[in-house]
Amino acid sequence: MTDGTPRTAGAPEPAAHAEMPAAHAEMPAADAEMTSLERTALYKSLGNPLRRRILDYLGRHGEANSTVLARELGESSGTTSYHLRKLAEQKLIEEIPEKSGGRERWWRSLPFSHTTPDPATMTTEEYAAAEHLALLRIEVDTRLFRRAHEEYRGPQGWAQVQRTGTWMTKTDLHDFVRAYHDLLDRYGHPDDAVPEGARRVNLRFYAAPDPVGEWEGEPTGP
């Protein structure tokens, strides 16, 4: 899921864009078609602790019903059923018709993609919901960052850490991001075509320019 989140404190500033886990991954409607109220509801859903756990479970296990989720997540089936319906309303999951029957409904996650708009265009409520979600994701990303370092076993291992810095124009940076997405499509595999020996890999990409005038005391441009 493509996700731009606002900074975590202070006045809004333009959002950055980063890739989210595919398990929470593509809204059928284009981002431009979503209203502020719809985006606010989306951010609140993704920021709800139980809904996040449900999405995570579906992303890891492929499918589940309310009874399975209640057992695995320590909740009542009535509670998980309610949240499953809400997630389905937002097109984050869908029912599996061939497995559902009567009161037993099975669910799976849907492909999902969303780019957060410029925070300067958000309503106060939308920004607050997006900011809360950003804070939750930063916590997850921090744990992944630590794990990558702890589990690093050299350049041939599963865990990899890369840091770099270079000069780019804004056009260069946007072209780089598009190439990054192309690489994900080239080397990644969908859930229904996972080759033998593959593991789910969590990737994060951030790009932040140096502040203007703070590179060796010289101006760096807008």
Side-chain angles (χ1 to χ4, degrees), residues 27-215:
M27 231 133 156
D31 293 333
E33 297 175 3
M34 295 185 70
T35 66
S36 176
L37 286 176
E38 289 170 334
R39 290 193 299 268
T40 301
L42 172 66
Y43 303 149
K44 287 183 176 179
S45 270
L46 293 176
N48 179 283
L50 181 53
R51 293 183 191 178
R52 288 169 65 86
R53 293 171 66 200
I54 290 173
L55 290 171
D56 181 66
Y57 185 92
L58 291 176
R60 294 176 182 276
H61 299 277
E63 58 187 41
N65 61 18
S66 60
T67 303
V68 170
L69 288 167
R71 182 183 68 243
E72 295 297 321
L73 304 182
E75 301 284 344
S76 71
S77 59
T79 298
T80 54
S81 179
Y82 168 80
H83 287 285
L84 284 166
R85 292 195 303 271
K86 290 301 181 180
L87 289 169
E89 289 175 6
Q90 293 182 310
K91 305 296 190 296
L92 293 168
I93 65 173
E94 68 177 0
E95 189 175 354
I96 306 174
E98 60 270 23
K99 292 198 66 173
S100 300
R103 298 183 62 182
E104 183 175 347
R105 306 174 70 183
W106 285 78
W107 304 87
R108 60 191 167 207
S109 57
L110 282 170
F112 169 81
S113 181
H114 173 74
T115 300
T116 304
D118 183 343
T121 67
M122 293 180 176
T123 64
T124 301
E125 184 179 11
E126 181 184 353
Y127 180 83
E131 181 180 45
H132 174 68
L133 181 58
L135 286 169
L136 293 175
R137 287 175 175 156
I138 288 172
E139 292 178 5
V140 173
D141 293 348
T142 300
R143 291 196 294 271
L144 284 174
F145 176 78
R146 292 183 180 278
R147 273 191 52 210
H149 281 275
E150 292 167 357
E151 298 177 10
Y152 180 75
R153 298 295 181 270
Q156 302 306 314
W158 276 101
Q160 296 293 313
V161 179
Q162 295 288 325
R163 288 189 184 87
T164 190
T166 187
W167 290 88
M168 288 185 178
T169 65
K170 186 180 289 186
T171 299
D172 293 333
L173 177 59
H174 293 175
D175 288 344
F176 184 92
V177 173
R178 281 189 287 271
Y180 170 78
H181 284 278
D182 289 342
L183 286 171
L184 291 175
D185 291 338
R186 178 178 176 183
Y187 291 103
H189 303 281
D191 291 341
D192 58 357
V194 179
E196 185 177 352
R199 296 173 61 182
R200 183 176 291 279
V201 178
N202 297 290
L203 301 171
R204 299 292 187 271
F205 169 74
Y206 301 100
D210 288 340
V212 173
E214 293 188 13
W215 190 82

